[in-house]
Amino acid sequence: MTQIPNSGDRVRITGAMHDPAPLEIGEEGTVTAVAPHSWGTQIFVAWDSGRHLILVQTDPFDVL
């Protein structure tokens, strides 16, 4: 399981995402909020590219 980041942590996409408009592998951003749910965790990220896409803990990413 991927480590759950904290607000302020940097993250990087490490693999293909299952999303109609996925982030590119290697894209980085800063975590702005983490919201746990019964089905998993939503990770809100301010992507360096300006994109607005929330991660879930099963997405392929690393905490830097």
Side-chain angles (χ1 to χ4, degrees):
M1 180 201 287
T2 301
Q3 173 187 352
I4 302 298
N6 296 304
S7 289
D9 286 346
R10 297 280 296 165
V11 292
R12 177 186 300 134
I13 299 299
T14 59
M17 300 177 73
H18 300 288
D19 188 273
L23 294 162
E24 295 291 324
I25 295 171
E27 283 199 56
E28 295 183 5
T30 303
V31 176
T32 59
V34 178
H37 291 278
S38 59
W39 50 265
T41 301
Q42 287 184 317
I43 303 159
F44 296 81
V45 180
W47 295 103
D48 295 348
S49 65
R51 292 274 314 267
H52 299 281
L53 187 66
I54 296 169
L55 293 176
V56 293
Q57 68 189 70
T58 56
D59 283 329
F61 70 91
D62 282 336
V63 179
L64 305 177

